[in-house]
Amino acid sequence: RPCEESCPTKAISVRENRIASIKEEDCTNCGKCIVNCPFGAVVETSQIVDLARDLKSPQNPIYGIIAPAFVGQFGRKVAPGQVKSALLKLGFKDVVEAAVGADLTVELEVSELKERLEQGEKFMTSSCCPAYTMAVEKKKPELYQYISTTQSPMVQTAKLIKERIPEAKVTFIGPCIAKKEEGQRPESQVDYVITF
């Protein structure tokens, strides 16, 4: 099956009864099985209903963080300003690009790399992709120590928003299914993750 063939960690398999099952201990939430399932049998957990409910409630302002990849998602038919305008019409208080946090992430990772090299480490990898960090943790644990401890641009941007507006709720909008798992971590300060 396409979902089984696409899984880079072999976490998904088809049993004798032809039902696919996922071994959570091997899954990195990369989303390849979802994208490649022709039947729609493998789906991501959606937070869209909860987000829609909160967008209608005036209690907490909801800020959107959008991944820069959105520019390429819609081709030339939709300008970036139109996407932001549409999100504001839906009820978001404001929308910022994750690139705001990416600048901070790069700055912090450069400092961390310099410190690690001075301590004799030979290399450091990025911590920005939760599917990558989970793959290392589950499949190559001996390399886990080399992953940067710096938080991803999504988390850095959420922190910046919540430092300015503590009552804000933050929604990350991006293409990556693995960000949903990252958004559930308490330290992420992200309330919702939706994908395009």
Side-chain angles (χ1 to χ4, degrees):
R1 292 210 180 151
C3 59
E4 186 177 17
E5 289 175 16
S6 68
C7 181
T9 60
K10 305 299 178 213
I12 193 163
S13 60
V14 179
R15 295 179 284 185
E16 293 160 10
N17 58 4
R18 301 194 34 86
I19 296 175
S21 65
I22 299 172
K23 290 193 305 188
E24 294 298 326
E25 64 271 13
D26 290 334
C27 180
T28 63
N29 294 313
C30 71
K32 287 192 172 228
C33 58
I34 293 170
V35 172
N36 287 289
C37 179
F39 312 109
V42 185
V43 295
E44 61 185 286
T45 303
S46 177
Q47 297 178 321
I48 196 83
V49 172
D50 294 329
L51 172 60
R53 188 176 330 121
D54 270 1
L55 284 168
K56 288 183 178 183
S57 168
Q59 273 187 314
N60 296 77
I62 300 179
Y63 287 75
I65 300 172
I66 194 159
F70 86 95
V71 175
Q73 184 69 25
F74 304 107
R76 297 173 198 230
K77 297 175 185 173
V78 179
Q82 290 175 295
V83 174
K84 182 174 182 176
S85 293
L87 291 168
L88 294 174
K89 284 180 183 176
L90 285 172
F92 284 89
K93 181 77 173 168
D94 197 7
V95 180
V96 295
E97 220 181 89
V100 171
D103 290 342
L104 185 55
T105 297
V106 168
E107 190 177 307
L108 293 169
E109 280 193 337
V110 166
S111 295
E112 184 180 359
L113 176 60
K114 183 179 177 191
E115 187 177 308
R116 285 175 175 238
L117 292 174
E118 287 171 356
Q119 293 173 356
E121 289 189 31
K122 300 212 186 295
F123 67 96
M124 180 184 83
T125 67
S126 176
S127 58
C128 293
C129 175
Y132 166 75
T133 59
M134 282 192 288
V136 171
E137 183 179 11
K138 292 177 178 186
K139 296 297 184 178
K140 294 284 186 185
E142 68 277 10
L143 297 177
Y144 194 78
Q145 66 183 348
Y146 299 107
I147 296 174
S148 169
T149 59
T150 301
Q151 294 173 317
S152 73
M154 175 184 83
V155 175
Q156 298 289 359
T157 308
K159 283 173 55 178
L160 290 170
I161 292 169
K162 290 201 175 187
E163 283 170 8
R164 285 193 338 241
I165 306 117
E167 72 277 10
K169 286 196 170 186
V170 175
T171 302
F172 179 76
I173 305 161
C176 181
I177 293 168
K179 288 293 187 186
K180 290 186 175 227
E181 186 277 332
E182 183 183 16
Q184 291 175 356
R185 299 174 192 166
E187 69 273 12
S188 79
Q189 298 192 36
V190 174
D191 299 285
Y192 300 110
V193 176
I194 59 174
T195 57
F196 54 74

